[in-house]
Amino acid sequence: MKIQSNGVSLNVRVKGDGELTLVFLHYWGGSSRTWHHVTGILAGRFQTVAVDQRGWGESAAGSGDFSVETLADDVQGIIDTLALKRYLIVGHSMGGKIAQLLASRRPVGLAGVVLVAPGSPGPSIFPLEQRKMMAHAYDTRESITATVAQVLAGKTLSDADLAQVVEDSLRGAPEAKVAWPMATMMEDIRSSVAHISVPVLVVAGEWDKVDPVELLSSHVLPHLPGANQAVLPRTGHLSPLESPVELSALIDRFAHHCGG
């Protein structure tokens, strides 16, 4: 379905039913479809809401503002439109940084946050030259498949999932492809995330080359009071596609802990 939020048309995929809703935010280059294995597993117990963030999937790019604040406002608008009473936010990579800022606002109904290989609340440690290269990682089918094989995936993706990743990455708005590595990932929201007051689970992939376990332990967890960390064995950065059963189990247990 399409929802007008914060001045932009955003595509949202809703499945299942339950008293607790899981709101899924995708990584830079992905879409709501990144979560299709996970939502397929969890929709039997929960309502799931997977969002195409602005500039990705079937959502419009809007005015070209891709700041963390704007992206968090987009998601809050979706939550308000759907009138969600109790929900968890599950954010992956870029979506994890957005989830942190949104949670720091202590919105009504938020029961907990799952951060899957999340972007750091502080500025990225990647040097400028590397970030310039990242801005072109999704330019062509060849550059995307190389990025998946060399950087993003720890396991070999199925043909269908790889085709989906390529299609989602190619489809992204040019300004959205550039915004994350050159601007959004450099934003500093550390002072804000200290205000998060709900339970937080940080999920790392043992083989993640983008946000490795050590980086999450040193640059994310110290800024999230009371957060716990779990590690998915033999998993790279694309855990929703690489290890969806194991990730779904972690989310399910955490939701139960949060009263779901």
Side-chain angles (χ1 to χ4, degrees):
M1 71 173 69
K2 294 293 177 63
I3 292 177
Q4 290 292 324
S5 174
N6 196 25
V8 68
S9 176
L10 301 174
N11 187 60
V12 178
R13 299 174 191 268
V14 180
K15 294 181 183 178
D17 189 28
E19 294 184 5
L20 185 68
T21 299
L22 309 179
V23 180
F24 291 91
L25 309 179
H26 62 79
Y27 75 104
W28 170 69
S31 75
S32 58
R33 302 192 303 171
T34 303
W35 294 103
H36 73 103
H37 294 306
V38 174
T39 57
I41 293 168
L42 294 176
R45 281 202 57 209
F46 309 97
Q47 182 183 47
T48 66
V49 176
V51 179
D52 284 345
Q53 291 163 76
R54 64 167 62 199
W56 299 101
E58 297 177 35
S59 290
S63 64
D65 180 359
F66 294 92
S67 66
V68 183
E69 182 176 5
T70 293
L71 296 172
D73 289 345
D74 290 349
V75 179
Q76 186 64 61
I78 290 170
I79 291 169
D80 294 344
T81 298
L82 294 177
L84 303 183
K85 302 301 183 186
R86 291 187 70 251
Y87 56 92
L88 300 182
I89 303 173
V90 185
H92 177 209
S93 196
M94 177 183 75
K97 188 159 189 169
I98 298 164
Q100 291 172 67
L101 183 61
L102 184 54
S104 76
R105 299 173 177 176
R106 300 182 177 181
V108 175
L110 180 65
V113 183
V114 180
L115 303 174
V116 182
S120 170
S124 170
I125 64 172
F126 293 136
L128 177 59
E129 286 306 313
Q130 186 172 354
R131 290 188 286 113
K132 287 181 178 178
M133 292 176 62
M134 289 173 63
H136 295 286
Y138 300 147
D139 283 356
T140 66
R141 184 175 302 274
E142 291 73 24
S143 65
I144 295 165
T145 54
T147 299
V148 170
Q150 298 169 16
V151 181
L152 294 179
K155 298 177 183 176
T156 300
L157 301 183
S158 70
D159 290 345
D161 283 343
L162 179 58
Q164 174 187 295
V165 168
V166 171
E167 183 177 299
D168 283 343
S169 300
L170 285 174
R171 188 174 188 176
E175 56 268 46
K177 294 181 182 182
V178 173
W180 172 251
M182 299 309 297
T184 317
M185 73 181 330
M186 299 306 296
E187 292 186 50
D188 191 343
I189 59 171
R190 286 175 290 187
S191 61
S192 296
V193 301
H195 298 291
I196 296 175
S197 59
V198 294
V200 178
L201 175 65
V202 177
V203 181
E206 181 186 11
W207 294 343
D208 194 332
K209 297 177 182 177
V210 180
D211 292 296
V213 177
E214 298 77 13
L215 183 65
L216 297 182
S217 297
S218 61
H219 285 69
V220 176
L221 282 167
H223 303 291
L224 302 173
N228 293 310
Q229 186 177 51
V231 179
L232 291 170
R234 300 177 299 280
T235 302
H237 192 63
L238 299 180
S239 53
L241 300 175
E242 297 180 54
S243 301
V245 174
E246 296 83 356
L247 178 57
S248 297
L250 287 176
I251 296 171
D252 197 344
R253 286 197 294 270
F254 180 74
H256 179 73
H257 169 71
C258 294

